Amino acid sequence: MRKGFRIKAPALVAMIVLLLILNIGLVNSWLGQFTKYFLPIKIGIILVFSLLIVWQKNFVSKPFIFALLFCTYLIIRTKVCNGDCIYAINQLSSCFVLFSCLEWTRLRQEWKLCLFVWRYILGIIVLIDFFTMIIFPKGMYATGMYSENWFLGYKSLRFPYIYALLLISAFLDFSEKKKITAWTWLFSFVSCIEFLISKSSGALAGILLLIFGMFLTNQIHGKAKLNKIISVILDYRFYLPLYCAIAALVVVVQQSKFILYIVENIFHKDPTLTTRTQAWSLFIQSIKTNLWMGKGYLGKETYQLLSGNFYVTSAHNMALSLLMTGGIIGACLYLAILISSISGNVIETKAKEICVWGILSLLLVGLTSSAFVFSQFCFLPYGLL
């Protein structure tokens, strides 16, 4: 006798969590006022996850604890600085509810089921976005700010979804098959085409780095001599100081002839990175007024006001975003999430190695974009590690 179709509870929960935090502008416009119920649902799910974890008497991971402290601190600073606390909770709850779901399924030893569900949904979303680009090469719709928008929006807005899809897909491949499958390579190809069409060079560079990491992990993992080199590159004691130095150069790009040459001749961008460096100078002055504690979570209107530019809706730099919102304390909490997630040998397994490549990818994108730093998937690589 045939058994009835059954959906396991973790799979259903994972699906609900992801659908709640997608935050696709076009879809939100279709849903209308219904989206106002998402926040209380997200908070309710976080509370349920917390109670389940306490009830099961399981020890949560250090990255999860630091992520909780990070989000809580930013919400408190937003309240203290008279910011929009509801907006901050809405944005940060999306980050944390996904991490909570991943932590809960990890403790239940059902994290693979959770990731399979997320890969399936994200794959459909990215393919829909791709087909809208093919059908509407000049843009699917226009907004008051941008004329070329597709299913996932404008330019780098699609980066979090594509990044999450590729990282999850590669992680599952290495965990299950020990090699990258054809589907992941297909998604990688589609992703590159999308960023080329949307002319998002920074996001493309980040995805190409992740794909490069996938290729290296797939081909040379286990080869002793090359492993030594890769282990040095993927050691946070190597890449974090290097990243800080490069980030400092990028922020003062107008003073560096070398960086100017790269920007103009390789990325084919305006030396001011589409007026970003002008905004960065203003943001640095703003950071100095509250260097240690930050100003709390900031909305796009605040960035527009501080920069005096309608098109500047974020800090367009990961380090500046962290310092603007949380100051040195907030930046240190974020570093604690990153460092605590990387324990032991970073190339011990292929799945672990690709997660570190994922961190390098988001750091690279963070040099000229804030598209990922507070996105719904911002804690994903740390949760997978």
Side-chain angles (χ1 to χ4, degrees), residues 173-210:
D173 284 350
F174 286 135
S175 298
E176 293 285 306
K177 309 289 186 180
K178 306 303 179 184
K179 64 179 182 179
I180 296 294
T181 61
W183 275 109
T184 303
W185 288 128
L186 175 62
F187 286 136
S188 300
F189 174 75
V190 167
S191 301
C192 291
I193 298 299
E194 286 204 43
F195 287 123
L196 286 172
I197 294 174
S198 62
K199 301 175 184 177
S200 182
S201 55
L204 176 60
I207 288 300
L208 285 175
L209 178 60
L210 179 57

Side-chain angles (χ1 to χ4, degrees), residues 114-355:
C114 173
L115 294 180
F116 275 120
V117 171
W118 289 350
R119 178 169 67 174
Y120 185 78
I121 296 174
L122 287 170
I124 293 174
I125 289 171
V126 170
L127 288 177
I128 291 173
D129 189 48
F130 175 71
F131 286 123
T132 61
M133 286 183 158
I134 299 301
I135 298 169
F136 306 100
K138 297 297 182 181
M140 182 180 177
Y141 65 96
T143 63
M145 185 173 292
Y146 301 116
S147 59
E148 292 184 348
N149 298 272
W150 294 275
F151 182 69
L152 289 177
Y154 178 76
K155 281 197 173 185
S156 59
L157 287 180
R158 59 194 27 80
F159 175 78
Y161 305 93
I162 290 174
Y163 171 90
L165 171 61
L166 294 187
L167 184 59
I168 289 172
S169 190
F171 185 84
L172 285 172
D173 284 350
F174 286 135
S175 298
E176 293 285 306
K177 309 289 186 180
K178 306 303 179 184
K179 64 179 182 179
I180 296 294
T181 61
W183 275 109
T184 303
W185 288 128
L186 175 62
F187 286 136
S188 300
F189 174 75
V190 167
S191 301
C192 291
I193 298 299
E194 286 204 43
F195 287 123
L196 286 172
I197 294 174
S198 62
K199 301 175 184 177
S200 182
S201 55
L204 176 60
I207 288 300
L208 285 175
L209 178 60
L210 179 57
I211 294 172
F212 176 71
M214 288 161 49
F215 174 78
L216 285 183
T217 306
N218 196 57
Q219 297 297 323
I220 69 172
H221 184 88
K223 297 180 180 179
K225 291 183 179 180
L226 291 174
N227 270 2
K228 289 181 180 180
I229 299 173
I230 299 299
S231 63
V232 171
I233 295 173
L234 299 184
D235 190 331
Y236 71 87
R237 291 168 294 186
F238 170 78
Y239 64 76
L240 278 183
L242 180 62
Y243 176 77
C244 290
I246 295 173
L249 277 175
V250 170
V251 171
V252 294
V253 64
Q254 66 269 36
Q255 301 176 20
S256 171
K257 293 182 179 179
F258 175 68
I259 299 295
L260 278 174
Y261 176 82
I262 293 176
V263 170
E264 289 182 283
N265 296 282
I266 296 179
F267 288 101
H268 303 292
K269 291 274 190 176
D270 183 87
T272 60
L273 288 173
T274 320
T275 72
R276 289 178 190 179
T277 55
Q278 297 169 8
W280 288 341
S281 298
L282 296 171
F283 294 152
I284 290 171
Q285 295 304 315
S286 181
I287 288 170
K288 290 178 181 178
T289 63
N290 212 325
L291 179 61
W292 283 97
M293 304 186 76
K295 300 176 181 296
Y297 195 87
L298 305 176
K300 67 178 183 179
E301 294 83 4
T302 304
Y303 284 109
Q304 289 171 330
L305 182 64
L306 289 171
S307 64
N309 190 325
F310 177 73
Y311 293 99
V312 177
T313 56
S314 68
H316 287 290
N317 180 276
M318 185 176 183
L320 289 183
S321 291
L322 291 171
L323 291 172
M324 284 281 288
T325 55
I328 292 177
I329 294 175
C332 287
L333 285 172
Y334 187 87
L335 282 175
I337 300 171
L338 189 157
I339 293 172
S340 63
S341 68
I342 304 173
S343 59
N345 183 7
V346 295
I347 59 172
E348 180 181 2
T349 65
K350 288 185 175 183
K352 189 172 183 178
E353 184 175 332
I354 195 58
C355 288

Side-chain angles (χ1 to χ4, degrees), residues 20 37-50 75 86 89-90 92-94 96-97 100:
L20 280 172
Y37 300 109
F38 286 6
L39 177 57
I41 295 173
K42 286 187 291 185
I43 293 174
I45 291 175
I46 290 173
L47 291 175
V48 170
F49 280 145
S50 302
I75 292 170
I86 298 300
I89 294 173
N90 188 37
L92 295 171
S93 63
S94 293
F96 195 70
V97 72
S100 299

Side-chain angles (χ1 to χ4, degrees), residues 55-127:
W55 180 67
Q56 292 173 356
K57 297 181 181 180
N58 287 317
F59 292 100
V60 296
S61 62
K62 288 182 180 179
F64 182 78
I65 294 172
F66 283 123
L68 175 60
L69 292 174
F70 177 72
C71 293
T72 304
Y73 175 74
L74 290 185
I75 292 170
I76 292 172
R77 285 303 299 164
T78 305
K79 180 65 176 177
V80 170
C81 296
N82 298 314
D84 190 341
C85 209
I86 298 300
Y87 179 72
I89 294 173
N90 188 37
Q91 298 299 311
L92 295 171
S93 63
S94 293
C95 310
F96 195 70
V97 72
L98 183 131
F99 203 164
S100 299
C101 183
L102 194 56
E103 188 76 2
W104 177 65
T105 53
R106 182 186 66 83
L107 293 173
R108 287 171 56 93
Q109 300 297 315
E110 292 179 301
W111 55 269
K112 287 183 182 179
L113 181 60
C114 173
L115 294 180
F116 275 120
V117 171
W118 289 350
R119 178 169 67 174
Y120 185 78
I121 296 174
L122 287 170
I124 293 174
I125 289 171
V126 170
L127 288 177

